[in-house]
Amino acid sequence: MNWIEAVILGLVQGLTEFLPISSSAHLRVVGEFLPGAADPGAGFTAITQIGTELAVLLYFWADITRIIAQWCRALVGKVPHSDPDVRIGWLIIIGSIPIGVLGLLFEESIDTRFRSLWLVATMLIVFAVILAMADTWGKQLKPMRRLNWRDGILYGLAQALALIPGVSRSGGTITMGLALGYTRQAAARYAFLLAVPAVFASGFYKLAKAVASPDPTAAYGMGETIIATAVAFVIGYAVIAWLMRFISRNSFKVFVWYRILLGAGLYVLLGLGVINA
């Protein structure tokens, strides 16, 4: 049964990682309704995100290789540091620092207290409202190549909010991008690229810990986690392709309402004692 549950959780991870609806929140909630009725855990969540980030590498391969190549050329003086790709490369590095530092400092809280479903429900609703405001009032004029140092640092701080389940990594960074005046496509594109270093670092860090010191109380073993990660990769790639087409013609309103309904539904289920916080 654990293998089936792992596949289900991999599907959930792949479906929700890139949408601004919080994959960690969905894994946390769905885990409560599976036969084992257990929280998959922060480690399981971080490792399965490796799968979805591999999908990012594949989908944005041309962008990623171009940015890395230009950044390396700038280091040896072959390209000016004012080049947009060079600047984006530096900003991805700098923007990854806040979530890395805060993730290590608050690792225990992230693994325990932050996973309370009361907090998850609250964050789903609060950031739904913030996303709606940014999507409605943001100017949506700037392409990604106009990303500057101030905006890159603000993007990095927004990404760090994703350490709290319910905020959403893509939701937090996309919201910041919209608030700063970037187009929906630019905000989403940079959000996905910015996530690559942080997610891989977090995923492989948790993977190394799981291999070095297996947790006998973990809901899912390494084999099941790998299966979930593989499923997340396949589904995640399809979701990226769909989302980039969707936001070229539509707003984020559907995700705003979904977050609000999910958060309100969690409040009801928690209040009635159907699920445990």
Side-chain angles (χ1 to χ4, degrees), residues 23-78:
S23 62
S24 55
H26 281 75
L27 289 175
R28 176 72 179 87
V29 173
V30 170
E32 291 292 322
F33 290 96
L34 293 176
D39 178 0
F44 177 91
T45 301
I47 294 170
T48 55
Q49 285 175 342
I50 293 175
T52 44
E53 285 311 300
L54 286 172
V56 172
L57 286 183
L58 181 60
Y59 189 86
F60 293 108
W61 182 254
D63 287 344
I64 292 170
T65 53
R66 187 187 67 251
I67 290 169
I68 293 174
Q70 291 295 89
W71 185 83
C72 290
R73 291 190 184 105
L75 288 182
V76 295
K78 292 185 177 181

Side-chain angles (χ1 to χ4, degrees), residues 37-273:
D39 178 0
F44 177 91
T45 301
I47 294 170
T48 55
Q49 285 175 342
I50 293 175
T52 44
E53 285 311 300
L54 286 172
V56 172
L57 286 183
L58 181 60
Y59 189 86
F60 293 108
W61 182 254
D63 287 344
I64 292 170
T65 53
R66 187 187 67 251
I67 290 169
I68 293 174
Q70 291 295 89
W71 185 83
C72 290
R73 291 190 184 105
L75 288 182
V76 295
K78 292 185 177 181
V79 174
H81 286 277
S82 59
D83 181 89
D85 286 328
V86 176
R87 185 171 62 252
I88 289 172
W90 278 114
L91 288 174
I92 289 174
I93 294 171
I94 294 170
S96 301
I97 294 174
I99 195 170
V101 172
L102 294 174
L104 290 173
L105 289 176
F106 295 99
E107 182 178 5
E108 183 180 353
S109 294
I110 294 167
D111 291 348
T112 54
R113 290 188 293 275
F114 285 6
R115 298 186 69 79
S116 165
L117 287 179
W118 287 111
L119 179 60
V120 169
T122 301
M123 291 298 100
L124 282 168
I125 295 173
V126 168
F127 277 85
V129 175
I130 297 174
L131 173 59
M133 293 169 62
D135 195 35
T136 301
W137 295 324
K139 294 181 179 179
Q140 299 179 23
L141 297 174
K142 295 191 287 187
M144 192 175 77
R145 293 180 71 82
R146 285 184 57 189
L147 187 70
N148 57 40
W149 292 96
R150 183 206 66 170
D151 294 354
I153 292 171
L154 290 173
Y155 254 117
L157 294 173
Q159 180 179 232
L161 295 173
L163 294 169
I164 306 173
V167 172
S168 170
R169 185 190 310 275
S170 62
T173 47
I174 287 172
T175 298
M176 179 59 75
L178 293 172
L180 292 171
Y182 291 88
T183 66
R184 293 188 179 104
Q185 296 95 320
R189 199 176 198 89
Y190 186 68
F192 296 156
L193 294 176
L194 177 62
V196 171
V199 172
F200 275 130
S202 173
F204 285 113
Y205 170 70
K206 291 291 187 181
L207 179 60
K209 287 186 67 174
V211 171
S213 303
D215 182 1
T217 65
Y220 302 98
M222 186 53 62
E224 294 133 346
T225 303
I226 291 173
I227 290 293
T229 302
V231 173
F233 164 72
V234 176
I235 302 301
Y237 185 89
V239 170
I240 296 174
W242 174 83
L243 180 64
M244 296 305 292
R245 290 195 302 270
F246 178 83
I247 61 176
S248 68
R249 302 184 300 272
N250 302 278
S251 72
F252 287 98
K253 186 179 297 182
V254 63
F255 304 114
V256 169
W257 284 111
Y258 176 82
R259 289 178 65 107
I260 292 172
L261 291 173
L262 178 59
L266 282 177
Y267 276 136
V268 172
L269 294 174
L270 289 165
L272 295 175

